[in-house]
Structure formats: C-alpha cells, structure tokens
Amino acid sequence: MASLARTLSLRAFWALTRSTLPAPPPRATRAFSASARVYVTKFTKDHEWVTHDPSVSNIATIGITTYAANALGDVVFVELPDAGTDVSAGDAFGAVESVKSASDIMSPVSGEVVEANVALKDKPALINRSPEDEGWIVKVKVGEGREAEFDELLGREEYEAFVKGEEH
C-alpha cells in the first residue's frame, strides 16, 4: 500500500483506504459558545466609544460615534497620537477636522496608546464610512486599576437616550 500511496494523491489514497479501514471511534463533542468573548462597548457624552473585553486583554479600542461622524460632516484630517503616549480619561488625545469644523477626541479611559489607526492618515473618510468599526482611532492599554472607569461610561441604550435628548 505504501507504493500505491506514492503514486496516488493524498486525497485519492485516503478515499481508497477509508473504505478498508475501521471507522474511528466517535469524538466527544464539546459545546461551543460564540459568546465566549464578550466585548463591551461604552460611550461618552463627548460622543466617543470604547470597546473592551477584560477577559481577553487590557487593550481597549477607541473611536468617535456615528452620531459625531454625521455631525462633523466629511472628515478631511485626523490628528493621531503616537504609540507610547499616555492618555487620561476625559482629556483630549487627538483631533478630527472636517469641512464643517474641528473637534478634539477625548479619551474615555486612561492608559497608554499601543496603536493608532494609521489608515486614517491617508483615508480620513473611513471615520464617515465606518466610525464604529474600520474608523477606530486608537488602541489603548488600560492602566492598572483603571477598569472602574468603564463603569462610569454610558451603555448603548443610555447613549442613544442622551443623543435623543441633545437633538430636541
């Protein structure tokens, strides 16, 4: 059979031998939950969002909300912080400029910038097209003992109610 295996493709060899080999014992099945990772997205009253899964890592992704992107209009420039920059909750760490206006980007949490979305330098319109996904701005390593800052932020429903209140 070994010489036959050399002349046949692996797929053909497997098909040929599968019918002559005993069936393998059944595998034990394990329940799989797609919700094993629970990313939590929170919002600020300054219209930034932060997504974080503390069970996976202490890295949080920050960007501006769809509401803010729509209010700004066509984004033409994004000022990004460098990796290694320390940011504090409530402080500005960058800016977004549009054809209408400019706005500071405020950090929802404290920590160290580990990555900036450099794609925004060449394509700032990513913020308009996908502000809460591809248009993310920075990834921050959340400071030790700073996880409680997330509790002070708004959940999605609270944020949506806040936005409705601003519109009236």
Side-chain angles (χ1 to χ4, degrees):
M1 239 182 180
S3 62
L4 180 63
R6 286 187 205 127
T7 60
L8 295 175
S9 70
L10 185 58
R11 179 178 284 160
F13 176 72
W14 177 247
L16 181 66
T17 59
R18 192 169 54 206
S19 62
T20 60
L21 295 175
R27 290 184 180 177
T29 58
R30 188 177 90 190
F32 175 76
S33 170
S35 64
R37 291 183 135 174
V38 181
Y39 290 96
V40 176
T41 302
K42 296 281 197 144
F43 302 86
T44 70
K45 291 183 178 181
D46 292 317
H47 306 289
E48 286 88 16
W49 58 265
V50 57
T51 299
H52 180 242
D53 181 356
S55 68
V56 174
S57 75
N58 60 345
I59 304 296
T61 304
I62 300 171
I64 67 169
T65 65
T66 301
Y67 176 82
N70 291 338
L72 281 168
D74 295 335
V75 175
V76 294
F77 177 76
V78 181
E79 178 186 339
L80 299 169
D82 294 325
T85 302
D86 287 326
V87 296
S88 295
D91 290 347
F93 66 81
V96 177
E97 293 180 21
S98 72
V99 294
K100 290 182 184 179
S101 65
S103 181
D104 285 336
I105 306 166
M106 311 301 277
S107 184
V109 293
S110 301
E112 177 186 342
V113 174
V114 293
E115 182 180 357
N117 188 352
V118 293
L120 296 175
K121 288 184 178 186
D122 295 330
K123 298 177 184 177
L126 279 174
I127 288 183
N128 296 111
R129 199 168 53 240
S130 181
E132 295 183 29
D133 187 25
E134 292 177 42
W136 62 273
I137 297 172
V138 294
K139 294 187 181 202
V140 172
K141 180 179 178 181
V142 178
E144 188 75 27
R146 298 291 193 154
E147 295 82 9
E149 292 175 347
F150 286 94
D151 297 335
E152 298 171 16
L153 302 173
L154 305 174
R156 184 168 297 277
E157 290 177 3
E158 294 169 303
Y159 176 72
E160 289 172 358
F162 171 74
V163 168
K164 284 181 184 176
E166 273 197 344
E167 291 175 344
H168 289 84

